[in-house]
Amino acid sequence: MALRAALHQAGAAALSHLLRFAEPAVGQRTLPCSCGRQARYRELRAKTVLTVLGAATIARPYYLCPHCQQGQFPADRELDVADTEFSPGVRRMQALVGQDAPFDRGREQMHMLAGLEVTTKSVERVAEAIGADIALCEDEQAARAVQLELPIIIGPPVPVLYIELDGTGVPVVKKETVNRKGKADGQPAHTREAKLGCVFTQTKWDEDGFAIRDPDSTTYTGAIETAQEFGKRLYVEAWKRGWSRAEKKVVIGDGAEWIWNIAQQYFPGAIQIVDIFHARQHLWNLARLLHPGNTKRQNQWIGLHQKRWLDDGKIDKLAASLRALPVTDPELAKKVRTEADYFANNAARMDYPLFRSQHLFIGSGVVEAGCKTVIGHRLKQSGMFWTVNGANSILALRCCRLNRRFEDYWENRRAA
Ligand SMILES: [Zn+2]
């Protein structure tokens, strides 16, 4: 470790030497200024930047506009160190550790693994800035998607493309929930719903006919935003993954209305499937309402016909039987009616025998696991409270990394 530290130190000295820019030649000492006039070369100015080798000094030309007093350092843009004291290499590390774990853990990791001293705040600031930049690129793509200007992505046909979506609460700071209703009546909300979507493909099924997800085929996208905005974001992700050349398209979600609104608007022609476990959960909730505290009767009620009808896709029969239940209590009758409507409205999305015969997935387990790994593990640890912007930036960064696009981001950044 001592030798490595010494080599880093020598490297930083060499780097400082390399980053000593020459004065511009006489005759090349002006630059266009944003005010439309010419900025003039003044002098070489030094700046210290933390690089992966440690602190290095950059000496670079400074230009000042005599008309509007605006100064500029063209070399900073070229080196991607404008308005920052960290090199791209260090920022890449800060973003990487910042999306993975709490910011202070990230600071510790940089110290332990890279021998770099940075503050917790700088890990937070840089990770959020990079995440915001990634989110901005996505927003631009979403805007182009609305104009139908996305580039066609060439590739082999996709047998089955799945889109699964779900929502999960992210704890936020107080100002983000002003005037928002909480889950319990009269209580303020402490969380905001992050929407998560995942896209994956399927080519095969196992010997029992159950669908097999293509290995490493899952990508994620998510944000705290309206269903309308999220729909666009998810559409861009699906497009990148071959939506236009998918032979079969499937959207899976729970019964939430926003999910099916998005499916209808952005993914027309897709097979819509209600996650079977959510549907079963609805039956169990009903059983508990009908036979409170009596698990034996609850089991009996479910086992008699209800579960079989659900699994066999006989949803009309199921809904009709719920409507025919002899319930006298008006409160309970209302709840039963709501459940009957839930099944009746989603009947086509619960044709499980048909979906099974086509070897399709009928559960939304992928996105539910995603809610834990993508959002829960990073954003919902105890004591965490996020701003919406902060949470969205880290979410964008985390998805970028999980989608194996983190290196592409830095490549593109360098190319730009
Ligand atoms: Zn100017």
Side-chain angles (χ1 to χ4, degrees):
M1 292 303 278
L3 185 54
R4 189 182 74 167
L7 287 169
H8 277 183
Q9 213 165 29
L15 193 55
S16 298
H17 200 74
L18 285 171
L19 294 175
R20 208 175 292 159
F21 283 68
E23 291 202 301
V26 181
Q28 289 172 16
R29 294 193 163 181
T30 58
L31 270 183
C33 175
S34 62
C35 75
R37 296 191 246 190
Q38 293 287 311
R40 287 192 204 136
Y41 171 69
R42 296 294 294 258
E43 70 224 335
L44 288 180
R45 281 197 181 176
K47 161 176 172 159
T48 304
V49 171
L50 186 67
T51 73
V52 296
L53 296 169
T57 308
I58 305 175
R60 74 287 198 229
Y62 174 62
Y63 293 76
L64 184 71
C65 174
H67 308 284
C68 71
Q69 302 304 315
Q70 194 175 195
Q72 50 174 314
F73 295 99
D76 286 8
R77 282 200 302 275
E78 202 182 311
L79 295 170
D80 194 5
V81 292
D83 306 314
T84 171
E85 53 191 301
F86 303 107
S87 73
V90 171
R91 284 178 358 247
R92 193 163 149 270
M93 290 184 190
Q94 288 170 311
L96 187 65
V97 295
Q99 60 83 37
D100 188 55
F103 301 121
D104 194 52
R105 262 272 298 288
R107 175 198 59 77
E108 204 178 279
Q109 284 176 329
M110 291 196 49
H111 169 71
M112 300 286 287
L113 303 174
L116 293 172
E117 298 297 337
V118 295
T119 62
T120 302
K121 195 71 198 164
S122 77
V123 174
E124 177 179 348
R125 258 203 309 266
V126 170
E128 291 191 357
I130 301 295
D133 193 44
I134 291 169
L136 189 70
C137 297
E138 283 184 11
D139 291 344
E140 281 164 9
Q141 289 171 333
R144 283 209 298 279
V146 178
Q147 312 286 324
L148 303 172
E149 280 173 2
L150 287 182
I152 298 285
I153 297 168
I154 311 291
V158 179
V160 194
L161 185 89
Y162 288 87
I163 294 165
E164 290 189 6
L165 46 173
D166 200 0
T168 182
V170 171
V172 290
V173 295
K174 266 205 181 106
K175 73 170 171 90
E176 302 287 11
T177 55
V178 173
N179 296 330
R180 284 174 174 269
K181 243 176 68 184
K183 272 189 176 157
D185 283 341
Q187 299 263 317
H190 298 291
T191 61
R192 291 281 300 270
E193 186 188 51
K195 296 180 172 70
L196 184 72
C198 57
V199 181
F200 61 94
T201 60
Q202 179 211 340
T203 316
K204 297 180 197 157
W205 53 84
D206 69 12
E207 45 207 31
D208 298 317
F210 290 109
I212 300 174
R213 178 160 48 129
D214 291 336
D216 295 327
S217 74
T218 313
T219 55
Y220 304 92
T221 189
I224 302 174
E225 62 190 349
T226 64
Q228 188 66 22
E229 290 167 314
F230 178 70
K232 272 184 258 174
R233 183 182 307 280
L234 188 54
Y235 177 72
V236 171
E237 186 55 37
W239 183 269
K240 284 183 197 163
R241 298 298 313 282
W243 170 257
S244 61
R245 56 178 199 279
E247 285 158 6
K248 200 175 270 184
K249 302 156 179 178
V250 183
V251 175
I252 308 181
D254 58 25
E257 212 179 318
W258 64 268
I259 288 178
W260 305 118
N261 289 340
I262 286 178
Q264 204 174 352
Q265 185 176 354
Y266 293 98
F267 307 107
I271 300 168
Q272 300 182 356
I273 300 178
V274 166
D275 169 59
I276 191 168
F277 303 101
H278 272 91
R280 283 188 190 150
Q281 198 57 47
H282 277 260
L283 278 185
W284 279 109
N285 292 345
L286 253 182
R288 277 190 283 272
L289 283 172
L290 294 168
H291 306 289
N294 191 336
T295 21
K296 202 174 154 209
R297 303 265 320 260
Q298 290 167 11
N299 282 320
Q300 267 173 356
W301 182 76
I302 296 254
L304 190 59
H305 298 295
Q306 316 296 339
K307 187 172 170 298
R308 190 165 42 81
W309 282 336
L310 178 62
D311 290 358
D312 291 350
K314 295 184 173 142
I315 309 302
D316 294 338
K317 220 173 199 170
L318 174 62
S321 83
L322 297 182
R323 293 212 165 94
L325 281 172
V327 179
T328 45
D329 177 60
E331 191 84 338
L332 183 59
K334 198 176 142 201
K335 282 178 180 159
V336 171
R337 247 190 339 266
T338 306
E339 292 299 336
D341 289 345
Y342 165 79
F343 285 104
N345 293 339
N346 285 301
R349 301 183 183 119
M350 294 180 181
D351 195 347
Y352 299 119
L354 175 72
F355 306 144
R356 278 216 176 89
S357 73
Q358 298 180 30
H359 309 289
L360 298 176
F361 281 99
I362 55 172
S364 56
V366 177
V367 74
E368 276 155 43
C371 279
K372 290 198 187 84
T373 52
V374 181
I375 300 178
H377 291 174
R378 179 63 187 89
L379 298 172
K380 294 169 76 162
Q381 294 193 25
S382 73
M384 282 185 179
F385 296 98
W386 296 87
T387 60
V388 169
N389 279 338
N392 280 346
S393 298
I394 294 302
L395 202 47
L397 185 55
R398 206 163 157 78
C399 288
C400 175
R401 164 100 177 100
L402 287 165
N403 296 348
R404 300 166 291 276
R405 293 179 190 142
F406 189 63
E407 296 307 315
D408 295 348
Y409 169 79
W410 291 98
E411 285 294 315
N412 291 338
R413 206 181 157 98
R414 199 171 57 180

